[in-house]
Amino acid sequence: MDLLTLALLAQMWPVYHGGPDNIKYSKLTQITPANVAKLKVAWRYDSGDEFQGSEIQCNPIVVNGVLYGTTPKLRVVALDAGTGKEIWSFDPNPADAKPRKRRNRSVTHWNGQIIFGYDYWLIRLDAKTGKEVGRIDLRQGLGREPEGMFLSTTSPGIIYQDLLIIGHLTSEDLPAAPGDIRAFDLKTGKIAWTFHTIPYPGELGHDTWPKDAWKEFGGANNWAGMALDEKRGIVFVPTGSSSFDFYGANRPGDNLFANSLLALDAKTGKRIWHFQFVKHDVWDRDLPTPPSLVQVKRNGKLIDAVAQPTKSGHLFVFNRETGESLFPLETREVPPSEVDGEILSKTQVLPLKPAPFARQMLTPENVHPSLVQKLKLLRSGDQFTPPSFEGTIIFPGFDGGAEWGGATFDPETRLLYVNANEMPWILRIIPRKKPRPTMTAAELYAVNCANCHGVDGSGSPPQFPSLVGLKSSEKDTAEIIRKGNGRMPAFSHLGEDVVSAVTKYILHHENPTVQGQVQRNSLKYGTDGYNKFQDEKGFPGVKPPWGTLTAIDLDSGEFKWRIPFGEYPDLEDKTTGSENYGGSVVTKSGLLFIAATNHDRKIRAFDKKTGKLLWSAELPASGNATPAVYEHKGKQYLVIAAGGGKSDRSPSGGSYVAFALP
């Protein structure tokens, strides 16, 4: 690119997380540590789309003076980047659709078009007018019958030349769609290449699964997004676990390429190298965030590297070209499972450096005093303590450690920043109801719903809502069961009789019997839901900090600084930290901007070298998203989506708020 093009790109935020390298770095210098305290609201856009439990996870993009983002109802809006005035809006929802929780982390700009995911559709809009110009059905070309298949796109794809490389979200239980990584030729709309994450016969890794897994199993998908080395033509793709997440007796073997970082030729999809983080995952340790393309100094020379944070609180750093780890790794023996049928891998691998950025074990020394006796009734050990019938502590929990906000990298200091959760969860294995041709509504609920909402329907709000006393019509409830809602997959494959029976059971405790229903999920065991290990007031069951923000020196592997991150407004102690979702942005001028915290609704600016807090402002709702930094008509802006919805202590919102100097 010429210097003028590079200068223009530095003023914009043209790609999810700022660029295909996924480092969330801005070269803009107008806002500095010396003047950041003067930041004021420059404009605010209120979508009016918020409803109870809704979210905005979108990191908006800014191209040629226009900001493009999504609302809680997944409308796409184009806003004047200097004023926040709406230019156009596109609503993909049917006119009579009831609002339901949707997640979208950004949109993609290509050749005068805006591309975004809505359910199983990739929809293409004219960037100037917002008019639809085409769409792609992502269910097609996966080697399965598309009817009834659940998949959606929550994170945007990545552009390489005229290819859109993209993954998708699948169900975490069976049945589930395969997690194929695909490149679409945007000139034709056709699939240019496919990488099978559950390998076909003759492909590398096929022998790490049962022989027909490629026909039947699902997951091993990319839901978190990707990073692209444009110069080398390498796309880096992190994958999730295979479905079902917590019991894998039907999938003996290491299960490549689940829980892996794939380095693929962006033109052809051919594998260059891979690294598997968890073999035969039964802990829900899917990779939650795109990797960051970084540089590490070794023996006085800079090495192009790729850094991947994990839910377990570890950071792995690899040579981009070879996949060689740039820090030492340790192979650990893993205890066997006592759950019948489960065959775990005998070994797992973890880095010896950097140190974990989240605590690794819940012990009597760090547990909340009121929960010591409860902890004694559960299993609590290291990261690979097997799931159990009595209950196993997962710490950090199913939502990290690192989450989808991921890491931020400063190329000047080679510091990598990562915010993390420190909430323990409980994983308890329970028998599933055996599938029969005739089942009651209660049995169908236990088979299909209890894994997330709990046997008693209490859930784990707000991630997994309670169904107790649900105020909803039969029509609306049945529609959500059919089509899914947020993290909840669609269950249309169960048929109308089952959907109706489960609806009546949830709303009215009626328990009709359904004739002729054959369950497609025949696994012997499931779980009793996603249960946080909390005290009687709903606070995390571990001593603070409950959320952290860490700066890691990638040259040495040492922490540069580490601070508690986030507050509970109803606690006197403002240093506890809190759960947080969304990432940060680092600037050339010396600042780290981040919102992300669930409860306090603040966006903050820190000195990137020391972690000192320099500025904060309260948002209309929690900013569980990643900010964008851009310049418009000579003025630098910081913008964040304030969507809330991640905490029952904080309301949902539907706004974008931009800050600038007076």
Side-chain angles (χ1 to χ4, degrees), residues 349-520:
V349 177
L350 287 174
L352 292 176
K353 214 173 187 182
F357 54 81
R359 286 171 289 181
Q360 296 294 288
M361 293 180 62
L362 188 64
T363 67
E365 289 70 36
N366 64 18
V367 75
H368 189 283
S370 67
L371 298 172
V372 171
Q373 293 304 313
K374 182 177 181 179
L375 180 64
K376 290 180 179 179
L377 301 176
L378 301 167
R379 288 195 180 186
S380 184
D382 65 14
Q383 288 300 311
F384 300 111
T385 301
S388 61
F389 295 114
E390 62 264 45
T392 295
I393 293 290
I394 304 296
F395 184 58
F398 299 132
D399 282 2
E403 252 300 321
W404 47 261
T408 297
F409 177 68
D410 179 16
E412 296 170 290
T413 62
R414 292 187 297 283
L415 293 180
L416 182 136
Y417 307 89
V418 60
N419 50 304
N421 294 323
E422 299 216 13
M423 167 71 81
W425 295 60
I426 305 170
L427 170 55
R428 182 177 288 107
I429 299 296
I430 62 171
R432 291 183 191 255
K433 293 289 184 180
K434 293 183 179 179
R436 301 191 310 275
T438 300
M439 299 181 74
T440 67
E443 291 172 327
L444 290 163
Y445 173 89
V447 170
N448 295 288
C449 311
N451 279 320
C452 294
H453 294 288
V455 175
D456 61 357
S458 60
S460 182
Q463 291 93 333
F464 304 96
S466 171
L467 303 178
V468 178
L470 182 66
K471 305 296 183 184
S472 178
S473 69
E474 287 191 15
K475 178 182 177 182
D476 291 340
T477 302
E479 187 73 358
I480 290 174
I481 294 172
R482 288 189 204 97
K483 294 185 176 181
N485 188 25
R487 288 177 69 164
M488 174 182 163
F491 285 88
S492 58
H493 63 275
L494 295 178
E496 285 303 306
D497 288 347
V498 172
V499 170
S500 176
V502 173
T503 298
K504 293 179 183 298
Y505 178 76
I506 291 171
L507 294 178
H508 312 304
H509 305 292
E510 296 178 16
N511 194 21
T513 297
V514 179
Q515 302 287 336
Q517 173 61 35
V518 178
Q519 292 299 311
R520 293 169 63 183

Side-chain angles (χ1 to χ4, degrees), residues 516-574:
Q517 173 61 35
V518 178
Q519 292 299 311
R520 293 169 63 183
N521 186 344
S522 58
L523 289 175
K524 185 176 182 179
Y525 295 109
T527 72
D528 68 346
Y530 291 82
N531 300 302
K532 293 180 177 179
F533 186 80
Q534 298 173 311
D535 68 14
E536 65 279 0
K537 296 181 180 180
F539 295 109
V542 64
K543 293 178 181 178
W546 299 326
T548 58
L549 182 59
T550 303
I552 304 172
D553 185 325
L554 290 190
D555 291 345
S556 66
E558 302 291 340
F559 291 176
K560 182 73 172 180
W561 52 261
R562 188 170 189 261
I563 58 173
F565 178 52
E567 303 171 4
Y568 281 81
D570 46 349
L571 290 180
E572 287 188 21
D573 185 355
K574 302 304 181 185

